């Protein structure tokens, strides 16, 4: 008799149990990337879906509670929930890397604290965040003197400048939309972002442009701004996607999103 058990209920239909099957790598045959997304974030998931379309590369997300008001106090409050959010991503399944999707909180808490809290829940996993990724990416592209564009209030901006410069990059020009509400920052249109990037990037002291904040939409304009300025461009979302891929061992070039993805 066939290995598949046959059952014939009273109605006469056949029910087959224990059908044969085999296992493959699933949707993540190359790597599994975890992404912790702010509860208020409207943008990062959409941009990552646009950028990361490689067969066998899978992204799994969880959300972390946060306030829509972006200031040092509200950003620091996320530390207590980092491990909990990391633990929710495919419990019991190995992840290759986890990215924490908040640039400003990574600056306020510190990259080491972010990694520590996530690794307490997921020991041994590689961890990155947008500021680590952006600094790594800018150095990879040979940029040493950057233009920094943010949506943040001044108190957060000054922390950013100091943080970046302490890690080997010079911020020679800085611009800000000076807006505290994350829900509205996500609605700043790409024309405004593009114009600000080009204005800052055309300064002669600048050899790279970084747009900070996962809420700002840059994926569709990065190549255009690079052509307009002749300088490499990245953003929180683009840099984080690139760095997560590289930490997971995926080195594919991805056209259309700036020089960093061609490296």
């Amino acid at each position: 008799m066939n290995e598949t058990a046959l059952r014939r209920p009273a109605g006469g239909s056949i029910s087959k149990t224990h059908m044969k099957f085999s296992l493959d790598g699933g949707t993540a045959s190359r790597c599994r990337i975890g992404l912790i997304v702010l509860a208020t974030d409207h943008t990062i998931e959409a941009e990552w879906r646009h950028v990361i379309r490689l067969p066998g590369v899978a992204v799994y997300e969880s959300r972390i509670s946060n306030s829509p008001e972006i200031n040092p106090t509200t950003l620091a409050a996320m530390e207590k929930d980092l491990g909990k959010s990391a633990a929710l991503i495919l419990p019991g399944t190995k992840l290759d890397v986890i990215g924490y999707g908040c640039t400003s909180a990574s600056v306020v808490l510190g990259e080491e604290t972010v990694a520590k809290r996530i690794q307490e829940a997921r020991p041994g996993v590689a961890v990155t965040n947008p500021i680590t990724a952006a600094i790594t990416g800018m150095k990879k592209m040979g940029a040493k003197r950057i233009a920094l564009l943010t949506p943040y209030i001044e108190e957060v901006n000054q922390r950013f400048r100091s943080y970046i410069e302490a890690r080997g990059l010079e911020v020679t020009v800085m611009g800000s939309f000076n807006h505290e509400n994350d829900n509205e920052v996500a609605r700043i249109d790409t024309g405004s972002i593009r114009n600000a990037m080009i204005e800052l990037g055309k300064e002669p002291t600048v050899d790279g442009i970084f747009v900070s904040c996962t809420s700002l939409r840059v994926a569709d304009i990065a190549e255009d701004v690079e052509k307009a300025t002749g300088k490499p461009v990245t953003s929180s979302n683009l840099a984080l996607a690139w760095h997560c891929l590289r930490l997971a061992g995926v080195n594919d070039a991805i056209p259309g999103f700036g020089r960093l993805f061609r490296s």
Side-chain angles (χ1 to χ4, degrees), residues 125-168:
V125 73
V127 176
T128 187
N129 63 80
I131 195 66
T132 300
I135 292 170
T136 303
M138 280 294 173
K139 290 179 178 179
K140 175 75 173 177
M141 295 187 289
K144 298 178 180 177
R145 297 168 299 171
I146 69 168
L148 175 62
L149 176 63
T150 88
Y152 311 127
I153 61 174
E154 188 63 14
E155 184 179 3
V156 177
N157 284 333
Q158 291 313 311
R159 287 195 184 209
F160 257 85
R161 182 192 292 271
S162 299
Y163 198 92
I164 291 171
E165 292 189 334
R167 283 152 183 80

Side-chain angles (χ1 to χ4, degrees), residues 1 4-17:
M1 183 175 176
T4 302
L6 299 181
R7 295 179 182 173
R8 195 180 297 273
S13 64
I14 297 174
S15 176
K16 298 187 178 183
T17 61

Side-chain angles (χ1 to χ4, degrees), residues 34-140:
L35 176 63
I36 298 174
V37 182
L38 300 192
T40 60
D41 195 300
H42 298 243
T43 306
I44 189 169
E45 291 154 314
E47 291 208 320
W48 272 41
R49 282 192 290 270
H50 193 34
V51 174
I52 303 178
R53 293 180 290 175
L54 300 170
V57 175
V59 177
Y60 304 96
E61 301 142 8
S62 70
R63 292 251 169 178
I64 185 170
S65 179
N66 74 298
S67 168
E69 303 305 318
I70 303 301
N71 59 63
T73 300
T74 60
L75 293 168
M78 277 187 274
E79 180 181 354
K80 69 183 187 308
D81 291 327
L82 275 170
K84 184 190 307 180
S85 295
L88 289 173
I89 305 173
L90 295 183
T93 300
K94 180 183 180 296
L95 300 174
D96 295 282
V97 60
I98 294 178
Y100 171 46
C102 187
T103 326
S104 48
S106 297
V107 168
V108 169
L109 295 172
E111 299 155 275
E112 298 81 5
T113 297
V114 169
K116 182 178 179 181
R117 295 292 170 257
I118 291 173
Q119 288 169 339
E120 285 171 351
R122 306 301 288 257
V125 73
V127 176
T128 187
N129 63 80
I131 195 66
T132 300
I135 292 170
T136 303
M138 280 294 173
K139 290 179 178 179
K140 175 75 173 177

